[in-house]
Each structure stands twice: as C-alpha cells, then as structure tokens.
C-alpha cells in the first residue's frame, strides 16, 4: 500500500485545494453579534526570552481589546514551510503569520498572502525605513507588486571574537566607523593561528544565505533580472567572498576545515576553549555566547567586514496576513500594536536581533556596550535588500543546487570554476520552471 | 460470489415465476448483489480508488500550489521532464541503493536471528519478544532515537568509539548510516515471518538427512533453504516495496540531506509537492515509482517462479 502513499498524499492535498476556499472560518464568529473576533497568530519564536516576550505582548493585547482576541499558536522554523503550504491549500491558514522575507516571495506569488499596500497604519509605516519595506515587496504572481508582510527583526553578520587572543596578538580592534577590510581580516586570522588553534571557524552547514549576504561586500548579487527573466550569475564579484573563505581554509590555513560541517552555534565549545579566535556569525549568536561562556571568558562583537562596501544582504522576520483570513482589518490592527516601537524593542532583546523600528533602535538597552549591542545595532545601517529575496524559485535553487555545490567547494572537492558553472547552469534550469 | 448471492434469492423466490425468465432474473440478481456489496464498496471507492485515480490523473496535468493557478492537461510532458531530470535519476539511484541494500542486509540479519531464535535456548520467549520490539515503535520515534545515537557531540556511537564524526551530515557516511537504521527497523517483521517459516519445516526431513550423515551446513543448505524458499521470496519482495517507498524514517533522520545524498524517491516527491508546490510533477513521480516497483517486482517474482519449476 505504501507505494501509493505519495500519490495519495498529493491527491488529498490537491483535492483539499479544490474545495478549500469554501470551507473555512467555522469558528470565527464575526464581531457584529457581540462575540469577539478570534485571530490565530502563528509565532515562530524559539528562544526562551523571545517566547516570553511574544506571549506577554499577546496577553496585553487581549486584555486591552476584549473584542479582538488573539490566540498564540506556537510554530517552528524547522517545518513552517510545510505547515503553511498545507494550511494555505486547505484554506484554513492562521490569520497572522510569522515568517521571514525569503519565504514570502513564493507565497505571495501564489496569492496566499494579503497585499498590505495602503493598509498599514501610518505610524507603523513611517517607523520602519523604506529599505526594510523593500525586503517584503514582491511580485503578486501576475503583473503587479505588493507588500506582503511587515518586517520587524533583521539580522546582520558580525564577528564574535575572543578578546584575550586579539589583545595578545596586538591587532587593531575595528570600530563601526573603521571596520576591518577582508584583507585585514585575513592577516589577523593568520596572526591568530598557532599550533592547535585557528584564527577563524567558518560553520558552513548552511552556506548559501551566508555567502550570498556577504557577497554584497564586493557587489556580488548572484542573480540578474532582465525583462522579467531571472538568471544566475557567478562572475568576479560573486566569486570574491567564496575565494577568500576558501583561501583561509586551504592557502592560509587560518580557518579550521573540520568546522565546515557545523551549524552556526556548533563551534562555540571550541571558541570558549580558545581553539577558534573569531567566529563569523549572525548577531543573534551573542545570546548563546553570553549565556554559555565560562566565567572570566572575555568576548567582543566586531563590526561587519568591509569589501568594496560594508553592505550586507538583509533578511527580515515578518508578520503577514493570510489572504483567506476573514478578519484582515483586525489582524492588521493587532500587527500594528504588536510591532510598535516599545514592543519591537522587547522582541529584539528577546531574540538578540535588530529591530526595523527606528524608535525601537533608540532604546537604551539596544545601544549599550554590554554584549555588543552597540556594534550590532550600528551594523543595521549597512543592510540592503538581499537580491535573492525577489527570485522566484530561490528556495529550490538553494537546496538543490547551491547548498551541495558550495559545500563541495568549501570541502575542496571542486574548483571555483566548477562551482560557478554548476550554480549558473543547473541554477538556470531550476529557475526556468518558475518563469513558465 | 454468484454462488453465495444465489442462495438467499433461491430460497425466497420459488413459486410460478421460477426459472421462466432467466435473463432478467440474472440482471436483478446481480443488481441485488451489488446493493449488498455497496456498503463495503463505498469506503474502498471513496478512500482508496478515488484518490488513486485522482493522483494518476494529476500526473498528466501541470497542477501547482496556489490560489491563482490554473490547471491544464499537459499529456506526457511531466513524464518527459522526469526522464531528463538529473535530480530524479540521482534520487532514483539512491532509492535503489537504499532499497536493495536494506532488503538484502535485513534478510541476512533476520535469517540469522530467526535461526538463533528457532534453537532451543534458555529464555527463548523473552528473546523472541525483544526481537519484535522495534516493530512496536513508530518510525518517527525510531528516527528521533537514532538521531540521538548518531549525534556528533552527545551521541552514543561517538561516545562508544571516542570519535567525533557527524554521521548524518557527512556526505559519504549519511547514506550508510541511514541504511543501518533501515535494517534495524525492518528486522522484526522479517524475523517473525522467517521464524514462522522455519517452524513449518518438517522434522522428518532433518532426521532423514541426518541419517545420511549430513552436517549442520548441509542440513541448512539442502533442507532449510529450499523449504523456506516461498517464504523468502514473499518477505523479500514485500520488504523491497516497503523499503523503496520509505519516507518517514529518513525524513526524520536527515530530511534527505546532506546535499541530497539520502533523498529517496518519496522524499523527492514530497519536496516537489509541499516545498516547491509542483503537485502535478510530484504525482508523476509517484506514478513513475509505482511502475518501476511493479516492474522490478514482476521480474523478480517471475524469475523465482521459473526457477522453482
């Protein structure tokens, strides 16, 4: 029987898709007859402090708005895509959806998300800079453009370093105004490499977003859109960061090859033990460093590296409203409250990420020197829209083509030219499916 | 069926009409039989045949996920695309490596275990129960358990060998590591079936060859194996079908990673449908795999039947 499993599963979901639009909203009574409107809010918060902050804000809202009651639904980043695809297809999605901007593009083009253009209250709209709004502006799958979420938390790539080792090597400490260039970084990493200890550890279990975001340092965009048709490119600008990381691994030998298979947080035990002096990581990793560091361990957050520019691709976490939601106005009201300045400051602190809200960024707790908040918050100014956000089919390119190819390149199994050929040729084949 | 259906009618009918209008009675008879079968047929039609036909139909369309998509009939386009899809062939190759190696290893290990459990050992009852335990666990639980065994830092395996290998994320080790779990998972049913087969081998045969002076090996080769043959054919073909269509176990262990090295065909179909939203193409994959499995199985059973003659 199991040989029919896949066919059955696909059929079942497609059946549901066929009759889905008719059968939703059974329990969602309208506000007219005195019953409160009920909204479901799918949250992906996973750090303890962050879940607390989320639940606290929801509870405050529910107390203040007896007419609009929000139910907190816990989701997980691991399977949110599958969960959303099935609930969208079944016509019964959560009203308010927490996700991140790379995921929105494909949902938006399939018509699952509500276009928020002109619907976001002015206060919230003006509090978030246009650069952040750009990360959630996508094609609607036909001819137009729309805003498909409210961006609220952003991540930048910084360096987390062992202060004692840096001081011992006598290197210049970078500041947000005078960051290390990639050349300087390579020199420092070499200086910090001694017997049994490496200057840097590049955890590259999921290399693609990291490389693509950093590639903007040298103007590498990886995608080229002309006349509505997107193709992959891997020219000199795109290759720069790839080559430099590869050099650290195999030419300078200042990066530990055995860290390549690790996830972002996996090198921490080695970092605490002095085996790695510098960890390139997203700002959120500071939370684990602060929490797990042995007493007396001194660490600093260093600003992002500079290539031609310090620009990095920005990916935001977002709140969106489902197109099938029966209470989209109420959902927007809730989002406007959930993401106001003070609340964004709470959420940013809970997740150790950067708020998009300009009011929240001024919160003293987010500009203190403690735990590198000042450096992290300052790095937000160089965040620009990651070009891959707008690419339909990026997810498939990433998991089928780019991830295995980059992993093999960093493991020194294929050359840079081979990598570039694979990214482009196999990649274009993948993207073609989506432009039909 | 007709014999069964005739009895109630034959009893109640009788009288003057009896036997005079054979044709129309036959029609009424089968209609009556159909009415009686309907309650049993409806669930089969609704829950099994319907979705199956729908799935097959879907394979010939360009159905995609989305509110604003239009589905149209595309004929064999999906199949043509499938044939030229390198990822599909890679996944298919992995599926075959996985299906064959798990089935063969499972069979060998289970045969050994079944022979052991067939001996007159102490605590044989307990051992037999223990051998069946993995059967009682859902695949997801097995997957989670083995993920802990393979964990690079806290795993049992690295602790035992003092190594620091990331079994499930290493490009060359992931598939073998997953195959071991597959073998472990499928052993109970194979062992139980083989054990039942062993107990059906007539004792007289052993006595006869012992009289002829055959040792343990000859007894096994000339009596046990030929006697077990039908059971072996049945269980290995069933195992192969189960294994090549395995999904949940590998999904929990690796989700098809690293870099697609453990992406079995069913995982591939799942990704196409629920990650990238190509429902039509995923249905094509399901149909194609069904055809391939039927072909492989047909060939195997046909050869076995011919050799048995």
């Amino acid at each position: 029987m199991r040989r029919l499993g896949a066919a059955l599963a696909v059929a079942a979901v497609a059946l549901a898709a066929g009759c889905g639009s008719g059968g939703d909203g059974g329990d969602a009574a309208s506000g007219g007859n005195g019953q409160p409107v009920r909204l479901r809010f799918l949250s992906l918060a996973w750090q303890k402090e962050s879940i607390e902050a989320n639940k606290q804000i929801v509870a405050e809202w529910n107390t203040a708005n007896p007419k609009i009651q929000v139910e907190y639904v816990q989701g997980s980043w691991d399977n949110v895509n599958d969960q959303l695809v099935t609930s969208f297809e079944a016509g019964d999605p959560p009203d308010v959806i927490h996700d991140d901007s790379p995921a929105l593009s494909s949902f938006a083009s399939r018509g699952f998300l509500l276009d928020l253009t002109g619907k976001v209250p002015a206060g919230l709209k003006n509090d978030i800079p246009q650069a952040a709004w750009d990360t959630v502006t996508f094609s609607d799958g036909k001819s137009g453009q729309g805003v498909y979420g409210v961006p609220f938390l952003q991540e930048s790539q910084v360096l987390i370093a062992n202060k004692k080792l840096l001081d011992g090597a006598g290197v210049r400490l970078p500041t947000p105004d005078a960051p290390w260039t990639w050349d300087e970084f390579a020199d420092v990493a070499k200086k910090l490499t001694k017997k049994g200890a490496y200057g840097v550890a590049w955890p590259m279990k999921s290399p693609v977003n990291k490389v693509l975001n950093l590639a903007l340092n040298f103007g590498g965009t990886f995608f080229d859109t002309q006349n509505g048709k997107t193709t992959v490119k891997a020219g000199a600008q795109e290759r720069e960061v790839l080559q430099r990381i590869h050099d650290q691994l195999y030419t300078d030998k200042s990066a530990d090859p055995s860290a390549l298979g690790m996830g972002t947080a996996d090198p921490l035990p080695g970092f605490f033990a002095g085996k790695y002096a510098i960890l390139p990581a997203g700002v959120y990793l500071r939370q684990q460093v602060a929490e797990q560091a042995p007493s007396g361990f001194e660490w600093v957050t260093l600003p992002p590296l500079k290539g031609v520019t310090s620009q990095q691709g920005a990916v935001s976490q977002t709140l969106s409203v489902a197109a099938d939601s029966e209470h989209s106005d109420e959902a927007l009201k809730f989002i406007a409250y959930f993401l106001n300045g003070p609340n964004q400051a709470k959420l940013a602190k809970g997740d150790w990420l950067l708020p998009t809200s300009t009011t929240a960024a001024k919160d003293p707790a987010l500009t203190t020197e403690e735990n590198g908040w000042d450096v992290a918050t300052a790095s937000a100014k160089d965040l620009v829209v990651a070009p891959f956000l707008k690419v339909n089919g990026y997810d498939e390119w990433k998991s089928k083509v780019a991830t295995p190819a980059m992993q093999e390149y960093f493991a020194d199994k294929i050359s840079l030219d081979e990598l570039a050929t694979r990214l482009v040729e196999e990649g274009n084949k993948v993207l073609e499916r989506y432009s039909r | 069926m007709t014999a069964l259906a005739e009895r109630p009618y034959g009893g109640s009918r009788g009288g003057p009409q009896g036997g005079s209008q054979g044709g129309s009675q036959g029609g009424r008879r089968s209609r009556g039989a159909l009415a009686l079968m309907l309650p049993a047929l409806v669930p089969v039609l609704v829950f099994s045949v319907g979705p199956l036909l729908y799935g097959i139909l879907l394979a010939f369309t360009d159905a995609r996920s989305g509110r604003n998509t239009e589905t149209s009939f595309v004929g064999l386009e999906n199949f043509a695309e499938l044939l030229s899809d390198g990822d599909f062939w890679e996944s298919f190759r992995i599926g075959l490596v996985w299906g064959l190696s798990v089935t063969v290893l499972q069979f060998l290990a289970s045969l050994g275990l079944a022979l052991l459990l067939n001996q007159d050992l102490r605590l044989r009852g307990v051992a037999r129960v223990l051998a069946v335990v993995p059967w009682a666990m859902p695949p997801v639980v097995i997957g989670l358990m083995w993920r802990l065994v393979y964990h690079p830092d806290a795993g049992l395996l690295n602790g035992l060998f003092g190594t620091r290998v990331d079994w499930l994320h290493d490009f060359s080790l992931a598939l073998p590591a997953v195959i071991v779990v597959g073998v472990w998972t499928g052993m109970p049913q194979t062992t139980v079936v083989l054990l039942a087969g062993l107990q059906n081998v007539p004792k007289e045969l052993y006595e006869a060859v012992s009289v002829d002076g055959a040792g343990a090996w000859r007894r096994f080769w000339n009596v046990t194996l030929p006697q077990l043959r039908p059971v072996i054919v049945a269980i290995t073909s069933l195992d192969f079908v189960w294994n090549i269509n395995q999904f949940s176990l590998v999904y929990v262990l690796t989700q098809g990673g690293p870099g697609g090295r453990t992406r079995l065909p069913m995982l591939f179909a799942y990704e196409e449908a629920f990650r990238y939203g190509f429902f039509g193409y995923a249905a094509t994959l399901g149909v194609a795999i069904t055809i391939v499995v039927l072909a492989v199985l047909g060939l195997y059973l046909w050869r076995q039947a011919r050799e048995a003659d």
Side-chain angles (χ1 to χ4, degrees), chain B residues 3 13 53 80 85 94 98 115 122 146 160 171-172 180 184 218 224 232 236 241 247 249 252 254 264 272 274 282 294:
Chain B
R13 210 171 358 132
L53 287 180
D85 186 345
I94 293 170
W98 152 272
L115 286 170
R122 267 208 292 173
W146 278 88
L160 218 58
F171 272 60
S172 47
V180 169
W184 186 86
R218 286 210 69 91
T224 313
I232 292 173
T236 44
V241 175
F247 173 81
L249 191 65
V252 174
T254 62
L264 304 183
E272 286 296 323
F274 297 103
L294 286 179

Side-chain angles (χ1 to χ4, degrees), chain A residues 214-405:
Chain A
L214 289 175
L216 283 178
N217 281 178
F218 295 94
T221 56
F222 279 92
F223 295 99
D224 197 17
T225 304
Q226 269 169 1
N227 306 327
K229 192 176 175 336
T230 304
T231 50
V232 186
K233 65 171 182 152
Q237 293 168 316
E238 282 76 23
R239 293 179 191 208
E240 195 76 34
V241 163
L242 287 163
Q243 175 77 59
R244 282 167 188 266
I245 296 174
H246 193 272
D247 282 350
Q248 287 195 323
L249 284 162
Y250 299 103
T251 312
D252 300 351
K253 296 197 182 348
S254 57
D256 184 2
S258 71
L260 284 174
M262 296 184 182
T264 306
D266 296 334
L268 283 181
F271 177 64
F272 296 140
K275 193 177 166 201
Y276 313 123
I278 302 173
L279 290 186
V283 284
Y284 69 90
L285 191 69
R286 294 172 301 135
Q287 190 256 352
Q288 271 145 298
V289 178
E291 209 161 74
Q292 297 169 13
S295 61
F297 185 84
E298 283 184 78
W299 59 281
V300 283
T301 305
L302 305 178
L305 295 173
K306 188 176 176 207
V308 179
T309 65
S310 290
Q311 283 189 346
Q312 286 187 6
V315 168
S316 351
Q317 292 188 25
T318 56
L319 289 188
S320 306
V321 180
D324 277 332
S325 168
E326 290 186 350
H327 306 290
S328 52
D329 293 340
E330 288 85 352
L332 263 168
K333 273 186 210 154
F334 168 68
I335 290 180
Y337 171 78
F338 193 83
L339 298 184
N340 67 24
N343 283 342
Q344 272 208 36
K346 264 185 224 165
L347 294 168
K349 268 182 271 178
D351 257 332
W352 294 63
L353 287 167
L354 314 173
T356 53
S357 154
T358 39
T359 336
K362 290 186 193 118
D363 187 295
L366 299 185
T367 48
T368 158
E369 269 182 40
E370 201 186 338
N371 292 330
W373 273 108
D374 53 342
V375 176
T377 304
S379 70
K381 72 177 189 316
D382 287 317
L383 291 178
V384 296
V385 184
F388 63 78
L389 285 184
K390 315 277 176 183
V391 176
N392 209 349
Y394 168 71
D395 186 36
E396 189 177 344
W397 176 78
K398 177 173 127 182
S399 66
K400 272 196 192 160
V401 181
T403 304

Side-chain angles (χ1 to χ4, degrees), chain A residues 66-115:
Chain A
K67 284 258 152 91
I68 309 174
Q69 290 293 299
V70 175
E71 183 195 348
Y72 179 93
V73 181
Q74 183 67 58
S76 153
W77 287 106
D78 291 336
N79 56 17
V80 62
N81 180 67
D82 303 6
Q83 185 185 355
L84 286 176
V85 169
T86 40
S87 67
F88 280 139
E89 289 288 349
D92 186 30
D95 301 278
V96 178
I97 297 161
H98 178 190
D99 208 334
D100 60 5
S101 44
L104 294 190
S105 151
S106 80
F107 287 134
S109 67
R110 292 187 229 165
F112 287 137
L113 299 175
L114 188 71
D115 181 4

Side-chain angles (χ1 to χ4, degrees), chain A residues 25-40:
Chain A
D27 61 330
S30 77
N33 53 14
Q35 287 212 343
V37 167
R38 295 198 177 278
L39 299 175
R40 276 176 301 159

